[in-house]
Amino acid sequence: MRAGRLKHRITIEKPELTKDEFGQPTKTWVVVCTTRAAIDPISGKEFFAAQQINNAINYKITMRYRPGIKPQCRVKYKDRLFDIHAVLNPKEANRELQLMCEEHGT
């Protein structure tokens, strides 16, 4: 993996249930890690192919391998949020992760 491609500083967050002052469960987001990544929009042709599997995939975020990243997590980049739909480990080499994401509406 070429380090020069990883020019975006992203934060991976995971959901955690906590209780509010009334004892009701509330979902909060906890930081898992902050790392460098490449954020690439999927082209029209790739999006069409991906759309047959999942209608919502529109970004591929590539980062160095890190265990514990799951589809329940989300990616935060500046003021943008990306919901992770799939986590791919190419060739099961544990060198990089490809996160197939949808940008969360603001």
Side-chain angles (χ1 to χ4, degrees):
M1 172 182 300
R2 298 180 59 138
R5 287 196 64 235
L6 308 179
K7 62 183 181 177
H8 305 288
R9 183 172 281 302
I10 64 167
T11 302
I12 307 288
E13 299 176 329
K14 69 176 181 177
E16 189 172 280
L17 286 177
T18 58
K19 292 188 178 186
D20 63 13
E21 62 271 10
F22 302 109
Q24 298 298 314
T26 304
K27 181 164 75 169
T28 58
W29 292 94
V30 178
V31 173
V32 173
C33 68
T34 299
T35 189
R36 311 288 286 172
I39 301 175
D40 298 308
I42 296 174
S43 73
K45 181 178 179 183
E46 290 171 323
F47 180 75
F48 182 75
Q51 189 175 21
Q52 293 176 359
I53 298 168
N54 189 331
N55 294 335
I57 296 174
N58 55 7
Y59 282 91
K60 178 172 69 173
I61 299 176
T62 305
M63 60 182 273
R64 287 187 176 88
Y65 177 80
R66 179 179 219 93
I69 308 299
K70 299 181 176 159
Q72 296 81 11
C73 297
R74 72 179 183 184
V75 175
K76 186 175 182 181
Y77 172 64
K78 296 186 179 180
D79 62 344
R80 298 166 67 188
L81 294 174
F82 298 88
D83 295 324
I84 301 173
H85 290 283
V87 179
L88 307 175
N89 182 0
K91 300 181 185 177
E92 296 296 320
N94 293 347
R95 296 191 60 159
E96 71 179 57
L97 290 179
Q98 294 176 350
L99 311 177
M100 306 308 285
C101 301
E102 172 187 11
E103 186 166 9
H104 192 296
T106 56

